Amino acid sequence: LLSDAVQKSPDTTMVFDIFTPAIGSICDAADIGRYNFQIQSNDGSCYQNVHPSEMQVYDFTEWVNLHPNGPANIRQFSLGNNPTFQLQFPASHNMDRWENNGGRVSLGRLGETVTLPLPTVLAENLGLDVPTSDEEAISIPRGIACGSPNEVANDLMLGGSTFGRGAFDAATARAQTTSNVILDAQKLNVWMELTLKAPDQLRQRVAWALAQLLVITPSAVEAAQRRMTEAFVAYYDIFVRHAFGNYRNILKEVTYSPMMGEMLSYVNSKSTAYIWQQEQRLEYADENFAREIMQLFSIGLHMMHSNGTEVVDPDTGTFVRTYTNDEISEYAKLYTGFEPRQRRGNIEDRMRQANMNPIDPMKLNAQTHDRTPKLGLNGQYIGDGLPLCSDIASQQQLFLKAGATYRLLGKSSLPQMLTEPTSWSSDDSVRSNIDRLSVTEGSQLHQKLCGGSGGSCSFKGVVTLDQDLTCNDANDPVCSINEPRILEIGSSGVFYEYVRPPCARLAFYAHGKAMATYGEDFYCEDPSVPEGIVACCQSGNGNAAVSSISTIVHFSGERMAFSDAVSACETEGLDVCLDLPTDCVFSNSCDSSVGQWTRGQCSVLAKIDVEGRVAVVHSLPQQVPNANIDPNIRQDTKSFFQVQWLDENDASGGSQPMSIGDFLANYEAQCANLGCQRDSSDNLCLCSTTRIDTQAIQDSSPSTSEVLQLRVGAVDPRSNSDMIRTDLGNGVAMYSTDGSLTMDSIFEVIDSNGITQWRRNIKSTVRIGSTNSPSISFRNAPHMISFTHPELRDVHHEVDAALDHYFYHQNMAPFLAIRMAQRFGISNPSPRYVHVMSKAFREGKYLDGSSGKSFGGGIYGDMGALVAAMLLDREARSYILDKDPAHGAMFEPFLRYLRLMRSLEFEMDEQNPFITFAQDLQLSIGQAPYEMPSVFSFFLPEYKSQDDLGDADLVCPECQVLTGPKVVTLMNAMLSLIKFGFDQAYGGFGRGTDNGRRIDQRVVGNTGFALGENMYSPGSSATAADVVNELSTLLTSGRLDSNKSTLLRRVYRETMQQTGDRNVAMINVQQSIIASPEFHTNSISDNNLGTRPAPVASTPSDKEYKAVIFVMLEGGYDSFNMLVPHQCSGNLVEQYESERGAIGLTDQERRLVIDAASSSQPCSQFALHPDLPIVHDLYEDGDLAFFANTGVFASSSMDKSNYFAETPIQLFAHNSMQRETKVMDVFDESSGSGVLGRLADVLTKKGYATNSITLDNPTETLAAPANSESPDPVIVSQFGAQSFNEKPATEIFDVHNDIGKKLNDQSDNYSSMFGESWSRSFVGGVDEAEQIKAQLDSAALGDHWPTNGNGLTRKLGVVSKMIQVQPSRGTDRGMFYTSLGGWDHHRLVKQNLQAKF
């Protein structure tokens, strides 16, 4: 290794970088962690291991100013009597000072010759000539490699090549040269730079709103744990790119994002069929993304009208739900087969998994993707509305019509979206036997694909035909085919693949043909589908007997329908083989991935499980061994799917139709009555099927809605000269060959989203049972992917079709309108306003009435149109609505801080241009970019605060983090920014030049210790009124009323009288304004009813104290591994083992047994998780109890077949289930109250002095019932209490007592309710902070308490202290709530639970 390093070192032999272990070597265990050791190289030289920074050359310009003890401590080395450029790191210093303090720029190693494209400042510091252009700055040759999407090169003139001034570091799997603190900060550095300085501010603002909707939670992705930057900014860039684009593109990019795939655990998810085939293990698709993309990203929980109001079921009076768990389970199968891309160069790479690329869009694997039909929203299958693949095959050369798409393959003919043997393109001996379809030079198709002129081509990555092409040359093979696959462009050696448009197959069909592959797999195929290859035999028997493939097909691998195969054989006097030949006449040039047509007969059976789901089984001739039948359609298949069963009145063709309910109620007997058998693998009902196709619409004047109920789509018939168009009225047109209404007629309508739809007038039904016997029927289910030979093209089409289910859902527009309005300052948008935005989204355009300007491209889903409607509609711009008490919103906490910086013209120090925060903003104020705490973002859109807003049934999402501790923290940070600049003194968020050590030297208006400051100045001639008016405009949009403006002018004048300093006077006005409700909300507050009452002093209690502590394990906590059936009646233990499978506790692990014989449980003994011995001991000592079988069940008869009607709770939404856990009021008997809030209310009424405390955030758990006499809950930070506005002794002005309280006096009923929420939280939070701080300071934890605890330990430490001081707080019954995150185990459930326990 050392010799290798010596050889590769460019200019110096003094220092070598060695990375271990190298490929093919491993570290000896005894050497790990060693340092200062010596190595002798092969030439006899001796080298000593040193610190990586040894002999490194640095620019110390910044460190001179940052040194804790002042600049002289560094300057002495160059300015003293014995100047030197070599510095020795003091042995007395901890190495953290070197790693974390920063302030230096690495230039290279001593002795190296380095060509540096330096930024102006650094070049001048070094006394070098400054480059005058990019070309002059770039002096080294560079290679080209793809970066992250839309990545641009650094601007070297702006310092883009220097760390800390535009360039960023990236740790790799082999080395880390930058501290964790800096790596963690980089993505926020980038975000702040763009947010404050980018010219496209509205785009950045929309991106921020979208990022809070389509959330990545850092705790759930490895990129955060590995402190990566690029993965996060690349994901965020999706929203920047498409802020004014189309939301459909956002949904697709998010779906393919490896970050989202990891967070919601569908990356590497595999189909049930694949896992069963490979491992003989039953596993179902992961449901996380399938649920969240509906609930959080697109349509929400309840059906909505266009104006956002929820649809009510007239029979039950309840809201109509958008989906059930059936839809979640079906869509979950769609997200199987997603896999991460392989690692590659030029992107940040620190992932543990070798194949985990966190930046590039995921790829799809057709083999592991589920192939079954998928029944989705509104009773639509994925594939409904698409033409049948058999209809596409019957069209005249669809590949030459406008819209046909071709993808460039380059010099290799290996397809990317289609399947064929790799040897056809990679093996020279095979390639010579492959006939490729060649596009004749000079033809119209050649002109389109060549793309050049003058005999040269300019090939494009994707070519989509913009017009219909003709092809009439009898000698051109392209003119004779139905559908191409791979095409060579003339003799160029360049290939394209044709991407057939999406189409659907019907799962059940008649007259099936037995198919045989050269790999000896067999299956049954629909003869009308162009999915087989041709092999011809003499007289229909024996093995294939074709001497030259070119005499039968136009190119190798050509697919065709059965009738075309028959015609092809007849041209040579041959016939499609009757038997099932498995040999290949052309040796290794045959395609074994797809079957060849035979005349063998076969059929499609339905396997029905006890829940009414169906699986497809192919019945082949008896001579085919079961082992050779494709496992996806073999009798032991586990690939069940939902079907739409028809009731007795809608069944087709049977004289004794029955409902599926009647069938399932007496499954065994009815299975026999239908003439079905029991399959040998699962003992389930295996039935013959009859497909019945009928004319769906008989009326010659159908309505648009009737046409849209047709499920089979059609190819656009307008370019088909054989079709006659007839206008039927009602917005419906019909196409047919003779003008008559038949099953083959095609209807044309425009749906409610403005999309033209084509529907074929056919209804396809599957009947089980004969005509004269009992029968059940269901709609013939479409599927987009072949059961037996999937093509990647069709997998991509299926994902696209599913995304369209969400995108074109009636909820999509109002859902997104409400979410965006909330992020832009209107928490409760009116129905009219939502309708305006929804209309703009659907129509893709918005016309501004005042300017006459139109926005948007006229395409459904246009974000630009929605944003324009949101910002330009009269409800967004009317100042009159500022006086509506219910209008507006509480601003987001982080945006308040950011708005202060922007409004006061904040600038960073030239030597430290990037903003780095000294605090964890997510913990401090509840919000920070890239730090969303859960998939629900920072706050719930439906959150209702426990105050006047909540009482008025108004939501206030931001109020979820409007707590006393967070209010005090945010206010302290903003006050510090105003008074001292971007510093960390007195609660500031910045990093001061002395890291806050010399806090006693801070003076209001002196920013000498700050790395950035506000540059706003009103001018030397500005009066008090001028200053107040301008700052009111900048900070409150002019919403301050005359009374508050008068108070502010008085502050300015009094400061001038006391100090004579205009700057300090201005600063005091700024301090005052940010305390007002008008700064924190976008509405007007009328605080005119006098001072808010001070907290009442507590009377110490002498009663015995008791407390309840509620610890919420947030996420999808899995209790089935905590409390496990052990000795039970019936088959409960067997059921547990069967359902839990590999993630359940084994017999050996169920060793902590507890007795439950005295309970009414079905088990006399339960087992606890083996890592919970303390829980076991507490139970055995009588100090712990379990509440089993409790929760959201509304009745004892509720099960998975009737839960939808039996409980009002949305069982398949985390936020709903978590809320119900906290509330425990399934019958809504005390609406709005929580379980501990009701307990406190009862105890209060019984004469106890109660007190409720929650850690960090408000919670429904402590919400009291209406008219409760119990005190309001108190919110305490897990970090204790922080005093408000601690300040230097020299500062005279006290913002809280001098004016803050007055600005937040009590308000009347016509004042902003959002403003009132702020005022109560601010004034109450400041008062509570002082009280709680004093109480916590007086309490101490025992010696047994961890000194460096975090998470739950830290929170329970605060609870313990609060319990100690409860007597002085005057309470004898306490209610505490806290939470612990990280229990939403999307994968590795058993291992993660073990670690948690």
Side-chain angles (χ1 to χ4, degrees):
L1 290 175
L2 181 63
S3 299
D4 181 63
V6 171
Q7 294 173 5
K8 293 181 178 178
S9 184
D11 301 303
T12 177
T13 58
M14 292 189 294
V15 183
F16 306 110
D17 289 329
I18 298 177
F19 299 96
T20 60
I23 297 176
S25 67
I26 60 175
C27 287
D28 190 293
D31 291 336
I32 296 176
R34 293 181 61 189
Y35 56 92
N36 287 340
F37 51 84
Q38 295 179 335
I39 299 177
Q40 185 170 346
S41 69
N42 294 338
D43 64 0
S45 301
C46 183
Y47 293 88
Q48 181 173 4
N49 167 251
V50 296
H51 189 276
S53 298
E54 182 82 7
M55 293 191 177
Q56 198 78 3
V57 180
Y58 294 93
D59 171 22
F60 265 40
T61 304
E62 293 182 41
W63 184 236
V64 170
N65 296 319
L66 292 177
H67 195 278
N69 294 319
N73 284 272
I74 298 298
R75 288 176 177 161
Q76 63 177 330
F77 295 104
S78 59
L79 302 178
N81 295 329
N82 299 301
T84 179
F85 64 87
Q86 293 181 313
L87 303 185
Q88 182 75 32
F89 188 79
S92 60
H93 288 183
N94 188 295
M95 286 306 298
D96 287 345
R97 294 184 60 170
W98 176 259
E99 300 294 341
N100 299 329
N101 279 345
R104 59 190 180 276
V105 178
S106 176
L107 304 178
R109 289 181 301 191
L110 185 64
E112 285 183 335
T113 300
V114 181
T115 302
L116 293 174
L118 299 177
T120 301
V121 174
L122 185 55
E124 291 174 344
N125 287 341
L126 296 176
L128 303 178
D129 293 333
V130 179
T132 58
S133 66
D134 280 353
E135 289 74 12
E136 185 179 337
I138 300 170
S139 59
I140 55 175
R142 296 173 296 171
I144 297 176
C146 294
S148 33
N150 294 86
E151 180 182 332
V152 296
N154 288 337
D155 186 339
L156 303 183
M157 296 303 298
L158 298 178
S161 64
T162 308
F163 182 67
R165 293 185 174 85
F168 294 90
D169 200 4
T172 70
R174 298 185 113 192
Q176 178 177 336
T177 58
T178 302
S179 70
N180 290 338
V181 173
I182 294 176
L183 290 176
D184 280 335
Q186 286 184 158
K187 53 185 177 291
L188 187 51
N189 295 153
V190 175
W191 193 92
M192 290 296 295
E193 179 76 4
L194 290 172
T195 303
L196 289 177
K197 299 179 182 179
D200 53 350
Q201 283 296 297
L202 181 57
R203 178 181 294 276
Q204 300 298 328
R205 183 68 177 80
V206 173
W208 171 239
L210 290 168
Q212 296 181 69
L213 178 63
L214 301 107
V215 171
I216 289 292
T217 305
S219 61
V221 292
E222 186 185 347
Q225 301 161 22
R226 308 296 287 175
R227 295 181 166 86
M228 298 172 70
T229 300
E230 190 176 9
F232 282 96
V233 297
Y235 179 79
Y236 192 92
D237 277 349
I238 295 173
F239 311 126
V240 177
R241 284 196 300 276
H242 300 299
F244 306 133
N246 198 284
Y247 193 72
R248 175 63 167 73
N249 295 330
I250 295 175
L251 278 180
K252 184 168 184 175
E253 288 204 40
V254 165
T255 299
Y256 280 82
S257 165
M259 296 279 279
M260 185 62 71
E262 181 185 6
M263 188 189 78
L264 291 179
S265 59
Y266 61 102
V267 63
N268 291 321
S269 180
K270 298 174 176 60
S271 69
T272 298
Y274 183 86
I275 295 174
W276 178 255
Q277 178 183 347
Q278 297 296 317
E279 305 176 28
Q280 289 294 293
R281 178 169 57 86
L282 194 57
E283 181 177 300
Y284 299 105
D286 187 283
E287 296 180 353
N288 279 292
F289 186 67
R291 176 178 57 252
E292 309 301 12
I293 192 174
M294 291 190 288
Q295 179 187 349
L296 302 178
F297 302 167
S298 60
I299 64 174
L301 296 176
H302 300 124
M303 295 294 291
M304 288 187 282
H305 300 291
S306 180
N307 63 8
T309 57
E310 293 172 305
V311 178
V312 176
D313 187 324
D315 297 326
T316 64
T318 58
F319 295 133
V320 177
R321 301 178 187 181
T322 50
Y323 60 86
T324 69
N325 200 53
D326 289 339
E327 284 81 18
I328 294 174
S329 299
E330 290 290 284
Y331 282 125
K333 297 186 291 185
L334 174 80
Y335 302 110
T336 56
F338 278 87
E339 297 176 354
R341 300 277 179 180
Q342 294 290 324
R343 283 175 164 169
R344 63 175 177 83
N346 202 31
I347 60 172
E348 190 175 19
D349 179 9
R350 206 187 180 194
M351 306 296 282
R352 295 184 185 94
Q353 301 179 46
N355 65 336
M356 187 60 185
N357 174 333
I359 291 175
D360 295 329
M362 290 185 290
K363 61 183 179 180
L364 282 166
N365 184 333
Q367 297 303 316
T368 61
H369 182 83
D370 185 273
R371 308 169 194 178
T372 61
K374 301 167 182 69
L375 183 60
L377 295 166
N378 298 333
Q380 294 183 83
Y381 281 100
I382 301 175
D384 275 350
L386 294 176
L388 298 178
C389 298
S390 55
D391 290 345
I392 281 185
S394 65
Q395 295 295 310
Q396 293 288 326
Q397 296 185 317
L398 196 61
F399 66 94
L400 295 176
K401 304 297 183 183
T405 300
Y406 299 81
R407 300 179 77 253
L408 179 65
L409 299 177
K411 288 290 186 178
S412 171
S413 61
L414 182 67
Q416 297 175 353
M417 304 292 282
L418 304 175
T419 302
E420 69 175 28
T422 56
S423 61
W424 287 14
S425 58
S426 62
D427 189 331
D428 291 338
S429 63
V430 175
R431 192 164 52 226
S432 59
N433 294 325
I434 302 303
D435 288 332
R436 291 296 186 190
L437 183 65
S438 177
V439 181
T440 303
E441 295 185 16
S443 67
Q444 292 185 8
L445 182 59
H446 184 275
Q447 294 173 14
K448 291 292 184 182
L449 297 180
C450 173
S453 60
S456 63
C457 291
S458 178
F459 301 108
K460 295 181 179 179
V462 177
V463 175
T464 300
L465 302 185
D466 55 1
Q467 64 185 48
D468 292 351
L469 306 182
T470 59
C471 190
N472 301 316
D473 188 350
N475 296 319
D476 188 345
V478 172
C479 299
S480 305
I481 62 173
N482 284 332
E483 181 178 297
R485 289 175 65 82
I486 312 299
L487 305 93
E488 182 177 7
I489 312 308
S491 57
S492 64
V494 172
F495 298 88
Y496 276 87
E497 64 179 338
Y498 171 64
V499 183
R500 188 180 70 191
C503 61
R505 305 160 174 82
L506 294 177
F508 295 89
Y509 41 85
H511 312 299
K513 299 299 180 183
M515 305 291 286
T517 72
Y518 294 117
E520 299 189 14
D521 280 337
F522 299 87
Y523 59 95
C524 187
E525 187 59 275
D526 181 350
S528 67
V529 174
E531 295 292 351
I533 56 177
V534 61
C536 306
C537 294
Q538 297 285 354
S539 303
N541 291 307
N543 292 325
V546 178
S547 58
S548 173
I549 193 73
S550 60
T551 62
I552 299 296
V553 297
H554 302 91
F555 57 89
S556 298
E558 183 178 9
R559 308 289 203 266
M560 59 185 68
F562 178 74
S563 59
D564 293 326
V566 172
S567 299
C569 290
E570 288 177 348
T571 60
E572 292 293 307
L574 302 171
D575 196 0
V576 171
C577 303
L578 176 61
D579 295 329
L580 300 172
T582 58
D583 68 324
C584 176
V585 172
F586 310 107
S587 186
N588 55 4
S589 63
C590 291
D591 186 351
S592 61
S593 66
V594 64
Q596 56 182 310
W597 290 109
T598 76
R599 290 190 178 274
Q601 301 297 311
C602 59
S603 59
V604 184
L605 310 180
K607 181 177 174 180
I608 310 172
D609 72 5
V610 294
E611 296 179 7
R613 298 179 305 166
V614 169
V616 170
V617 174
H618 287 186
S619 176
L620 289 151
Q622 292 183 351
Q623 67 266 35
V624 177
N626 188 63
N628 291 97
I629 299 177
D630 190 289
N632 287 280
I633 40 79
R634 203 161 48 203
Q635 194 176 121
D636 66 345
T637 179
K638 302 298 185 289
S639 298
F640 291 91
F641 55 91
Q642 299 283 345
V643 298
Q644 289 182 317
W645 292 99
L646 307 178
D647 60 28
E648 302 95 317
N649 299 321
D650 197 27
S652 299
S655 60
Q656 302 176 44
M658 74 173 79
S659 70
I660 185 60
D662 292 337
F663 172 82
L664 296 177
N666 195 2
Y667 183 89
E668 187 168 345
Q670 295 293 9
C671 181
N673 291 339
L674 291 175
C676 304
Q677 306 297 317
R678 306 302 283 267
D679 84 280
S680 57
S681 59
D682 302 311
N683 198 33
L684 293 176
C685 204
L686 187 63
C687 309
S688 299
T689 62
T690 302
R691 171 172 164 174
I692 302 170
D693 292 345
T694 58
Q695 181 176 323
I697 293 178
Q698 308 291 335
D699 185 0
S700 60
S701 56
S703 66
T704 297
S705 60
E706 288 176 317
V707 170
L708 290 174
Q709 290 300 310
L710 299 176
R711 299 306 188 184
V712 177
V715 178
D716 183 349
R718 290 175 295 185
S719 61
N720 189 337
S721 58
D722 295 332
M723 285 289 192
I724 301 172
R725 187 180 191 275
T726 305
D727 191 341
L728 302 181
N730 301 320
V732 180
M734 181 188 72
Y735 290 81
S736 62
T737 55
D738 58 2
S740 59
L741 180 63
T742 68
M743 189 167 63
D744 294 322
S745 298
I746 297 173
F747 294 109
E748 173 192 353
V749 295
I750 298 176
D751 66 18
S752 60
N753 294 319
I755 310 298
T756 300
Q757 300 282 353
W758 311 96
R759 292 288 192 270
R760 186 177 164 196
N761 190 23
I762 186 174
K763 176 182 178 182
S764 184
T765 303
V766 178
R767 187 183 70 217
I768 296 174
S770 64
T771 304
N772 300 315
S773 66
S775 64
I776 52 177
S777 302
F778 57 89
R779 176 159 79 92
N780 202 353
H783 60 110
M784 297 183 64
I785 304 165
S786 170
F787 284 122
T788 55
H789 48 282
E791 303 262 34
L792 187 58
R793 168 201 64 201
D794 299 327
V795 178
H796 279 277
H797 283 332
E798 186 185 51
V799 173
D800 281 336
L803 293 179
D804 285 343
H805 275 206
Y806 318 132
F807 183 59
Y808 290 108
H809 190 277
Q810 73 178 64
N811 273 27
M812 180 73 258
F815 172 88
L816 189 59
I818 293 172
R819 295 295 185 269
M820 292 297 289
Q822 288 182 323
R823 293 303 98 236
F824 274 80
I826 301 182
S827 291
N828 299 273
S830 72
R832 191 208 71 85
Y833 185 43
V834 173
H835 176 72
V836 169
M837 287 186 283
S838 298
K839 185 172 182 288
F841 183 86
R842 285 196 173 103
E843 295 181 354
K845 59 184 178 181
Y846 174 75
L847 179 63
D848 178 28
S850 60
S851 67
K853 185 174 181 179
S854 179
F855 299 86
I859 304 297
Y860 176 94
D862 193 298
M863 288 295 297
L866 182 143
V867 171
M870 177 178 64
L871 298 178
L872 299 177
D873 182 73
R874 68 173 190 256
E875 289 193 36
R877 296 195 290 180
S878 173
Y879 64 89
I880 296 175
L881 289 176
D882 287 354
K883 293 190 174 183
D884 182 346
H887 187 70
M890 188 76 62
F891 288 129
E892 299 173 27
F894 186 64
L895 291 193
R896 281 177 250 170
Y897 187 85
L898 197 67
R899 183 158 55 92
L900 183 67
M901 299 178 87
R902 289 172 55 87
S903 299
L904 300 184
E905 302 172 21
F906 176 84
E907 290 185 10
M908 282 293 286
D909 180 74
E910 184 177 321
Q911 296 298 314
N912 298 275
F914 295 109
I915 296 173
T916 299
F917 292 98
Q919 291 192 35
D920 184 328
L921 299 184
Q922 176 56 37
L923 286 177
S924 300
I925 63 174
Q927 191 178 35
Y930 301 112
E931 295 296 334
M932 287 75 168
S934 76
V935 72
F936 298 101
S937 193
F938 305 109
F939 16 76
L940 297 173
E942 70 273 13
Y943 181 78
K944 294 178 183 177
S945 51
Q946 297 163 30
D947 55 14
D948 294 345
L949 282 165
D951 293 342
D953 202 30
L954 297 174
V955 302
C956 178
E958 297 79 6
C959 289
Q960 192 170 1
V961 293
L962 187 70
T963 67
K966 288 183 171 63
V967 164
V968 170
T969 300
L970 177 61
M971 284 295 295
N972 283 346
M974 291 192 293
L975 291 172
S976 176
L977 179 66
I978 289 171
K979 293 188 287 187
F980 313 116
F982 194 59
D983 191 1
Q984 65 198 94
Y986 297 106
F989 286 163
R991 291 185 183 276
T993 58
D994 66 345
N995 288 326
R997 293 186 179 93
R998 288 171 285 177
I999 191 171
D1000 58 311
Q1001 298 182 25
R1002 270 32 175 209
V1003 177
V1004 173
N1006 185 341
T1007 58
F1009 291 96
L1011 296 180
E1013 61 183 305
N1014 301 322
M1015 305 303 293
Y1016 166 80
S1017 175
S1020 59
S1021 62
T1023 65
D1026 294 335
V1027 172
V1028 170
N1029 289 340
E1030 188 167 46
L1031 285 175
S1032 173
T1033 300
L1034 290 172
L1035 298 176
T1036 73
S1037 299
R1039 292 188 177 93
L1040 291 176
D1041 63 23
S1042 59
N1043 291 333
K1044 292 178 180 179
S1045 295
T1046 299
L1047 291 173
L1048 293 170
R1049 290 194 295 271
R1050 189 179 72 189
V1051 166
Y1052 186 90
R1053 287 193 292 267
E1054 289 179 353
T1055 305
M1056 288 296 295
Q1057 292 171 3
Q1058 293 167 349
T1059 67
D1061 191 325
R1062 301 172 65 88
N1063 187 47
V1064 174
M1066 175 196 67
I1067 286 174
N1068 289 348
V1069 172
Q1070 293 171 1
Q1071 290 190 72
S1072 303
I1073 290 178
I1074 67 166
S1076 71
E1078 286 80 2
F1079 174 79
H1080 299 271
T1081 71
N1082 58 354
S1083 50
I1084 294 176
S1085 295
D1086 191 1
N1087 304 89
N1088 61 359
L1089 295 185
T1091 305
R1092 294 178 183 275
V1096 179
S1098 301
T1099 303
S1101 172
D1102 57 359
K1103 294 181 181 179
E1104 180 186 16
Y1105 181 79
K1106 293 183 179 180
V1108 175
I1109 304 172
F1110 188 120
V1111 181
M1112 179 72 182
L1113 306 182
E1114 292 182 334
Y1117 164 63
D1118 194 339
S1119 62
F1120 289 108
N1121 275 24
M1122 174 183 272
L1123 185 68
V1124 176
H1126 191 61
Q1127 291 291 335
C1128 308
S1129 59
N1131 65 342
L1132 194 58
V1133 174
E1134 291 77 12
Q1135 183 183 357
Y1136 168 82
E1137 293 173 343
S1138 172
E1139 293 294 331
R1140 301 298 290 167
I1143 64 174
L1145 297 186
T1146 64
D1147 287 337
Q1148 294 75 20
E1149 292 169 324
R1150 299 201 292 266
R1151 56 182 178 268
L1152 290 181
V1153 178
I1154 61 174
D1155 181 73
S1158 61
S1159 72
S1160 59
Q1161 292 290 325
C1163 299
S1164 60
Q1165 288 184 336
F1166 287 88
L1168 301 181
H1169 193 281
D1171 288 324
L1172 296 174
I1174 188 171
V1175 175
H1176 176 268
D1177 294 344
L1178 287 170
Y1179 181 89
E1180 292 296 321
D1181 293 341
D1183 293 327
L1184 181 143
F1186 285 98
F1187 291 86
N1189 294 344
T1190 61
V1192 297
F1193 276 29
S1195 71
S1196 59
S1197 61
M1198 181 174 143
D1199 58 29
K1200 59 188 175 183
S1201 68
N1202 62 14
Y1203 74 88
F1204 194 81
E1206 290 286 331
T1207 180
I1209 308 303
Q1210 176 60 264
L1211 299 186
F1212 302 98
H1214 279 333
N1215 57 331
S1216 296
M1217 294 292 284
Q1218 288 186 29
R1219 181 184 182 279
E1220 193 57 36
T1221 301
K1222 301 171 187 177
V1223 170
M1224 294 190 185
D1225 187 18
V1226 69
F1227 297 105
D1228 203 23
E1229 294 178 342
S1230 183
S1231 180
S1233 68
V1235 60
L1236 292 190
R1238 295 194 299 276
L1239 177 58
D1241 179 56
V1242 171
L1243 291 172
T1244 300
K1245 290 176 179 178
K1246 288 183 177 292
Y1248 291 97
T1250 64
N1251 180 246
S1252 299
I1253 294 177
T1254 173
L1255 273 293
D1256 293 328
N1257 295 306
T1259 175
E1260 301 99 323
T1261 313
L1262 300 178
N1267 303 316
S1268 173
E1269 299 173 6
S1270 58
D1272 291 337
V1274 174
I1275 303 172
V1276 180
S1277 170
Q1278 63 176 295
F1279 301 102
Q1282 179 183 166
S1283 294
F1284 175 70
N1285 193 29
E1286 291 184 334
K1287 58 186 189 297
T1290 56
E1291 183 179 357
I1292 301 172
F1293 183 65
D1294 184 339
V1295 64
H1296 185 55
N1297 293 312
D1298 290 350
I1299 190 173
K1301 289 183 178 179
K1302 185 63 179 175
L1303 292 173
N1304 290 281
D1305 274 351
Q1306 297 184 81
S1307 58
D1308 58 33
N1309 293 333
Y1310 301 99
S1311 181
S1312 165
M1313 285 192 278
F1314 293 99
E1316 173 62 15
S1317 291
W1318 162 258
S1319 296
R1320 289 180 59 183
S1321 297
F1322 173 57
V1323 176
V1326 171
D1327 291 339
E1328 283 178 357
E1330 299 304 323
Q1331 293 180 359
I1332 294 172
K1333 188 174 189 305
Q1335 292 163 355
L1336 291 176
D1337 288 346
S1338 68
L1341 297 175
D1343 294 338
H1344 65 283
W1345 209 269
T1347 57
N1348 58 346
N1350 52 43
L1352 186 62
T1353 304
R1354 183 168 56 232
K1355 293 177 181 180
L1356 292 182
V1358 173
V1359 172
S1360 179
K1361 287 185 174 183
M1362 294 304 294
I1363 289 176
Q1364 287 185 49
V1365 301
Q1366 283 304 324
S1368 66
R1369 290 177 61 83
T1371 60
D1372 41 62
R1373 292 294 183 269
M1375 317 292 158
F1376 292 90
Y1377 172 88
T1378 188
S1379 62
L1380 183 64
W1383 294 85
D1384 191 4
H1385 305 300
H1386 294 172
R1387 54 195 175 92
L1388 302 176
V1389 175
K1390 190 169 183 179
Q1391 298 92 317
N1392 289 336
L1393 280 175
Q1394 183 174 4
K1396 287 285 186 182
F1397 289 152

